Amino acid sequence: MGNTEKLQKIIAAAGVCSRRKAEELISEGRVAVNGITAAIGDKAGDLDEITIDGRPLPKKSENVYFMLNKPKGYVTTAADEKGRKNVTELINEPERVYPVGRLDMYSEGLLIMTNDGELTYKLTHPRHELYKEYLVGMMGDKSKDAVRLMENVREIDGYKIAKPIVRKVSETDYGFVLSVKIREGRNRQIRKMCESCGYKVIFLKRVAVGSLKLGELKAGQYRALTQAEVDMLMKEAGNGEK
């Protein structure tokens, strides 16, 4: 019978979608193995025929990894009903790649783009998310201790959040520039943290994911990750779910 693996891992490895999305497809009854509708927990081997919505699973393509400096004005969703510009439009490569995690439309900075569903799963799984560092320009009362205020934010939208790592980078005419490191990726988390402290966000830029740094890459540009950088991300993300 040979080696078998869980279906969601096989689908993710083929570059179709993330493992989490693959689990949704299986739960919705859209995946079949040898003509039989699959269920969560099912496995398959090299000789099995896997289909999604009746179409054969594509052959596994070579995994590729890019770092994009996302500019403002682009969304990171897979599909946008409003027809807004998508970060996938900025990657001019033969392989179709997807963003790892999200940056909101008005934020900029480091975004990993890949067709490796396994790495995407590991980097975004709640148990293994890495620290992400942001530079945030905040307008507001300069007499307040903005670092302490941000460190003390413990709840967003009714959800408990881990203590962020915050340091002041500089003071500006309008307020501060802070470095903020967080592990969660809740919707507009840093913006909401700033708002809860009485500050308005002027700009928000992601500059690091784990040990991977944005560096001097210009807005709208991208580059391939080195093998050493990919290996580093794999190591830092851990082994994920089996």
Side-chain angles (χ1 to χ4, degrees):
M1 186 173 180
N3 294 328
T4 61
E5 285 190 302
K6 287 186 177 179
L7 278 176
Q8 58 265 37
K9 291 190 69 174
I10 297 173
I11 294 170
V16 173
C17 58
S18 69
R19 198 198 303 187
R20 196 172 300 173
K21 179 62 178 177
E23 290 174 347
E24 293 178 11
L25 295 176
I26 296 169
S27 297
E28 292 166 1
R30 297 168 61 185
V31 179
V33 179
N34 301 325
I36 301 173
T37 301
I40 292 293
D42 285 355
K43 296 183 177 183
D46 294 338
L47 300 180
D48 292 314
E49 181 186 48
I50 301 170
T51 58
I52 301 175
D53 294 332
R55 295 187 292 272
L57 186 70
K59 297 295 183 182
K60 185 178 185 296
S61 58
E62 180 182 357
N63 287 332
V64 292
Y65 310 86
F66 301 102
M67 175 201 296
L68 169 70
N69 185 347
K70 175 195 171 301
K72 293 179 182 177
Y74 285 78
V75 297
T76 56
T77 51
D80 182 60
E81 70 283 354
K82 298 180 181 179
R84 295 172 294 186
K85 295 181 290 186
N86 195 296
V87 291
T88 55
E89 301 169 20
L90 298 170
I91 308 295
N92 184 23
E93 299 290 338
E95 298 87 356
R96 188 176 183 183
V97 294
Y98 303 89
V100 177
R102 294 184 177 183
L103 279 175
D104 71 54
M105 183 174 178
Y106 300 105
S107 297
E108 55 190 320
L110 196 165
L111 190 64
I112 298 169
M113 306 284 291
T114 183
N115 59 352
D116 186 344
E118 274 300 293
L119 179 62
T120 298
Y121 177 83
K122 291 174 182 178
L123 289 173
T124 57
H125 193 281
R127 294 185 184 177
H128 303 285
E129 280 195 58
L130 307 181
Y131 271 111
K132 295 172 284 289
E133 181 181 5
Y134 298 80
L135 292 181
V136 53
M138 304 162 54
M139 176 185 289
D141 190 344
K142 294 170 67 173
S143 68
K144 295 181 180 179
D145 187 343
V147 171
R148 182 183 59 81
L149 289 172
M150 290 286 283
E151 287 178 336
N152 287 338
V153 177
R154 287 291 183 276
E155 187 174 301
I156 294 293
D157 294 336
Y159 292 97
K160 298 292 184 182
I161 61 172
K163 183 177 181 179
I165 300 173
V166 186
R167 64 180 176 86
K168 184 165 71 175
V169 176
S170 64
E171 289 193 17
T172 65
D173 292 339
Y174 54 78
F176 305 97
V177 175
L178 300 184
S179 162
V180 182
K181 293 182 179 181
I182 59 172
R183 299 188 69 152
E184 299 98 341
R186 297 199 178 277
N187 183 39
R188 297 171 63 85
Q189 179 173 332
I190 291 182
R191 293 182 184 276
K192 291 176 180 178
M193 291 169 64
C194 291
E195 291 167 7
S196 71
C197 296
Y199 289 92
K200 178 181 179 181
V201 174
I202 303 301
F203 69 85
L204 183 59
K205 182 176 184 178
R206 184 192 287 164
V207 294
V209 174
S211 298
L212 184 66
K213 310 292 185 184
L214 179 62
E216 300 301 318
L217 199 63
K218 295 181 179 179
Q221 293 186 342
Y222 70 93
R223 68 167 177 84
L225 296 184
T226 66
Q227 188 59 53
E229 288 171 331
V230 174
D231 292 344
M232 174 187 69
L233 286 171
M234 291 283 194
K235 181 178 179 181
E236 292 181 347
N239 294 320
E241 295 291 298
K242 297 294 183 182

